Amino acid sequence: MSESREWRPLEVHADAEGLPSGADGVLEYVRSGDFGDLLVKSKAVVFRGFGLAEDTLEPVMDELLPGRLAYLHGTSPRTKVGDNVYTSTEYPQELTISMHNELSYAHRWPSRLMFCCTTTPGSGGATPVVDGVRWLGSLDAEVRDAFAGGVRYTQNLHDGLGLGLSWKTTFETESREEVEKFLADTEAEWEWRSDGTLRIVQHRPATIRHPVTGDEVWFNQADQFHPAALGDETAAELAEILPPEELPQSVTYADGTPIPAEHVIHVRDVALDVAVDVDWVAGDLMIIDNVAVGHGRRPFTGDRRVLVAMS
């Protein structure tokens, strides 16, 4: 693996900074300097000891997330709990969610993500974060070279009954016209199929450069779209039911060549290995640069609740 320098998120502690608890303390810190510049340099900032409550988040989000976005074209199950505020991914708590940059498979993606813990997990449940430069540099050269031409993502979104998410859930609408309007501006290929399924095909790069620093970072979700990430048994069961192009989501190299399972497993495992775990206590908040940093989730017990918003 690469010997890239160690990186950790910047932690801001209310007591150490002499700041009041609650939203006022976070806002005082954020307004005391150029937070945008700080986030670019730090890549992720964690606020500890402010005791933020769910019903006090609105002014913090207004300050940190200008132009808050809906989670349109998302692939993970979550619940909308406010004005473009969602629960974090609702996969079974015993599973690890691999590292990824939010919506990196899409034509547009958020530049910032905010996470706020409102219920401390019984155990585990950290949000691991990974420096995209280190992730890229830690991959085997053979894997980096194989992905150099980019990737092709395919989604099959049913109309209400089937495997995976429906297009209605994915785009938060029951209007085909609204979906078509959204997709018209994405450079994606798409079609409505006779069974009501919406198929979307997108060609995307495997890496991009940060718009401010120019750093090249790993920026794709090939491992999460690949059936190998589901585990050998599940992947085998799905292969007996559906060909790859009919799965709810799948991925190949840009030219249509299959991606070897060992490549996506390598990408997944390297990221989880070099990631830094951010453990949660209720009231903590983290904001990350979504291009510079990937994120995931460790397994947990108990009633963990983390809210997510993006801009």
Side-chain angles (χ1 to χ4, degrees):
M1 288 189 178
S2 167
E3 296 299 322
S4 302
R5 66 177 180 84
E6 293 291 336
W7 167 83
R8 298 192 67 85
L10 171 67
E11 291 201 357
V12 179
H13 294 263
D15 289 345
E17 297 290 337
L19 294 167
S21 62
D24 289 344
V26 174
L27 291 173
E28 182 177 333
Y29 181 86
V30 171
R31 292 168 178 168
S32 67
D34 187 337
F35 187 78
D37 183 59
L38 177 68
L39 184 60
V40 168
K41 292 177 180 177
S42 301
K43 304 185 181 182
V45 180
V46 183
F47 293 88
R48 303 278 197 191
F50 288 86
L52 289 161
E54 187 169 338
D55 60 1
T56 66
L57 283 178
E58 198 68 29
V60 175
M61 291 189 293
D62 288 345
E63 185 75 25
L64 291 174
L65 302 173
R68 206 152 70 238
L69 300 173
Y71 184 60
L72 298 183
H73 205 176
T75 59
S76 64
R78 59 185 74 207
T79 301
K80 193 171 187 177
V81 297
D83 182 13
N84 292 343
V85 182
Y86 301 82
T87 58
S88 57
T89 305
E90 295 171 354
Y91 281 121
Q93 61 189 56
E94 69 273 13
L95 300 180
T96 297
I97 297 175
S98 62
M99 309 305 294
H100 60 285
N101 304 78
E102 203 65 49
L103 291 167
S104 60
Y105 54 84
H107 180 56
R108 291 191 180 93
W109 47 82
S111 60
R112 293 182 182 182
L113 301 181
M114 185 206 77
F115 302 84
C116 184
C117 179
T118 60
T119 302
T120 306
S123 66
T127 294
V129 287
V130 62
D131 180 346
V133 174
R134 189 177 186 202
W135 189 357
L136 176 62
S138 298
L139 297 175
D140 290 347
E142 174 190 1
V143 174
R144 291 198 304 270
D145 292 346
F147 277 91
V151 295
R152 184 177 74 182
Y153 302 103
T154 300
Q155 293 172 276
N156 292 297
L157 305 173
H158 60 79
D159 66 353
L161 184 63
L163 293 174
L165 297 179
S166 71
W167 59 264
K168 297 174 184 178
T169 297
T170 299
F171 294 102
E172 295 185 7
T173 182
E174 295 194 1
S175 167
R176 287 193 176 197
E177 290 74 17
E178 286 297 315
V179 175
E180 291 171 3
K181 182 179 178 181
F182 179 93
L183 292 174
D185 196 33
T186 64
E187 300 180 3
E189 304 164 21
W190 52 272
E191 64 170 329
W192 297 102
R193 311 192 75 197
S194 59
D195 63 356
T197 297
L198 173 62
R199 173 172 287 181
I200 304 171
V201 178
Q202 302 180 93
H203 291 81
R204 300 286 181 250
T207 68
I208 64 171
R209 291 195 175 274
H210 191 280
V212 178
T213 66
D215 291 337
E216 185 179 12
V217 297
W218 188 254
F219 198 78
N220 68 82
Q221 284 175 235
D223 65 307
Q224 293 195 334
F225 274 66
H226 198 288
L230 300 172
D232 293 342
E233 184 176 338
T234 303
E237 290 174 353
L238 283 174
E240 292 181 3
I241 301 171
L242 296 169
E245 65 274 12
E246 299 294 335
L247 292 171
Q249 57 189 43
S250 60
V251 65
T252 65
Y253 292 123
D255 63 0
T257 302
I259 301 175
E262 58 268 25
H263 281 191
V264 294
I265 297 303
H266 173 68
V267 168
R268 181 197 67 188
D269 291 351
V270 163
L272 287 166
D273 183 53
V274 301
V276 177
D277 282 354
V278 175
D279 294 307
W280 290 113
V281 173
D284 288 348
L285 180 145
M286 175 170 66
I287 186 160
I288 69 174
D289 181 322
N290 184 49
V291 175
V293 173
H295 67 279
R297 190 202 69 192
R298 302 292 186 184
F300 66 96
T301 64
D303 297 322
R304 177 188 190 268
R305 179 174 169 87
V306 175
L307 302 182
V308 180
M310 58 195 78
S311 73

